[in-house]
Amino acid sequence: MEAGGSDTDGREFKNAEEMWREEVGEGDDQKKTEWYRKGVGYWEGVEASVDGVLGGYGHVDEADVKGSEAFLKNLLVDRFGSGLRNRHLVALDCGSGIGRITKNLLLRYFNEVDLVEPVSHFLEAARESLVPENSTISDMHKAVNFYLLPLQEFTPEAGRYDVIWVQWCIGQLSDDDFVSFFKRAMAGLKPDGFFVVKENVAKSGFVLDKDDQSITRSDLYFKELFNQCGLHLYKSKGFPEELFAVKMYALTSKQKRVTRSKVHSNKPAIIK
């Protein structure tokens, strides 16, 4: 990414490569581990509530879900057509937090939803709110697996998911881990499955948040990374927001899907 950027302390960078060298080094595993430790540490100090996971902007929750639902409904019809009614739909909620998206959106459309989240008290809050006695969703729609892992260490079960949902979390990953995650996650999709990515977008370049160790990338920056991942941009939609613009991307693999038998998954531990 050649465009310059800045951090929240006011430092300017010529390009993303300069910033990443400063933040995680080149081949410096210890420095990168510290980067991720600080990021998770920030969220470990945040209350497990809608307002907490939305950074004090809990009032955007309803509008966020409504916009996401409109985008998702059209995609499901476009991708699965007449077979949608009889299809057993499975989704993965990445960076699920307290299960806000799973509870308010995904469980209304998917028969099974798995959640992956690195912050333990967020995931426990999600599990508690999504158990059958606390959920208003029918038995035909349920949260199944709760994975306590960061995305850079997560490998989904091969061929399990119709949709992998990634919202307001991929900014925690460095560029190389971003690309590695999506390449692994592609094998977790069914042959006609797809990704939905919903993230804040910078006007140009990037903005590095020094508090939570996350990066807000521009639309061009995202598209460059998607291309490196081998992803095709199927559809996108933008939304105005208070701080940054928000954009949704629907993405499919550019290559023919490998069969389940040819993919070996490092299946993570599950919180029951």
Side-chain angles (χ1 to χ4, degrees):
M1 180 65 198
E2 291 304 316
S6 61
D7 66 23
T8 50
D9 289 339
R11 179 174 176 181
E12 300 289 330
F13 299 93
K14 291 185 298 183
N15 51 44
E17 289 73 17
E18 179 187 26
M19 182 274 293
W20 287 122
R21 281 196 302 271
E22 175 71 22
E23 294 297 322
V24 302
E26 292 183 284
D28 188 338
D29 291 343
Q30 185 174 350
K31 196 168 186 179
K32 182 183 276 191
T33 298
E34 181 65 11
W35 156 276
Y36 285 123
R37 188 192 66 76
K38 287 180 179 177
V40 172
Y42 172 87
W43 291 106
E44 285 176 339
V46 171
E47 179 185 74
S49 66
V50 170
D51 201 52
V53 297
L54 290 179
Y57 290 85
H59 59 278
V60 308
D61 176 48
E62 185 176 349
D64 167 57
V65 172
K66 188 175 294 186
S68 293
E69 181 173 19
F71 191 70
L72 176 63
K73 283 172 68 175
N74 289 332
L75 285 169
L76 292 174
V77 173
D78 285 350
R79 295 292 294 174
F80 305 140
S82 59
L84 179 60
R85 184 177 298 275
N86 298 318
R87 189 177 178 117
H88 185 86
L89 292 170
V90 184
L92 174 66
D93 185 358
C94 296
S96 63
I98 62 172
R100 182 183 68 91
I101 294 298
T102 291
K103 186 172 187 176
N104 296 331
L105 176 61
L106 299 180
L107 280 178
R108 296 181 16 233
Y109 290 88
F110 295 86
N111 302 99
E112 299 180 27
V113 180
D114 295 342
L115 296 82
V116 56
E117 165 61 43
V119 179
S120 59
H121 74 291
F122 285 175
L123 195 62
E124 283 299 331
R127 186 186 61 78
E128 290 171 10
S129 72
L130 294 169
V131 294
E133 57 265 30
N134 293 333
S135 177
T136 59
I137 305 298
S138 74
D139 290 340
M140 296 297 293
H141 298 262
K142 56 188 178 182
V144 178
N145 296 311
F146 297 80
Y147 299 113
L148 182 61
L149 274 178
L151 293 186
Q152 71 272 14
E153 297 177 17
F154 180 75
T155 300
E157 179 182 340
R160 173 163 168 76
Y161 301 107
D162 297 279
V163 173
I164 295 179
W165 191 278
V166 183
Q167 178 169 349
W168 289 332
C169 63
I170 204 68
Q172 302 291 156
L173 268 59
S174 63
D175 287 356
D176 57 339
D177 285 334
F178 179 116
V179 173
S180 295
F181 166 71
F182 278 103
K183 286 184 174 180
R184 293 193 311 276
M186 269 191 275
L189 289 171
K190 294 176 183 176
D192 49 359
F194 58 93
F195 294 98
V196 173
V197 175
K198 186 172 188 178
E199 291 289 340
N200 295 347
V201 290
K203 289 183 179 179
S204 65
F206 59 89
V207 178
L208 172 66
D209 190 317
K210 296 292 287 185
D211 290 330
D212 67 1
Q213 302 293 98
S214 69
I215 179 173
T216 301
R217 299 171 169 97
S218 67
D219 180 57
L220 178 61
Y221 197 158
F222 272 116
K223 288 175 178 175
E224 288 185 5
L225 290 178
F226 292 149
N227 188 56
Q228 291 178 38
C229 296
L231 291 169
H232 165 69
L233 180 56
Y234 181 74
K235 189 174 288 189
S236 64
K237 181 176 177 59
F239 303 88
E241 285 292 342
E242 294 180 35
L243 294 178
F244 290 101
V246 173
K247 194 155 187 179
M248 297 189 74
Y249 304 90
L251 303 147
T252 60
S253 173
K254 289 180 179 178
Q255 299 180 348
K256 185 178 179 181
R257 183 77 59 235
V258 281
T259 62
R260 182 180 299 210
S261 61
K262 292 182 180 179
V263 179
H264 300 282
S265 171
N266 297 320
K267 194 169 183 181
I270 301 172
I271 293 181
K272 292 294 187 183

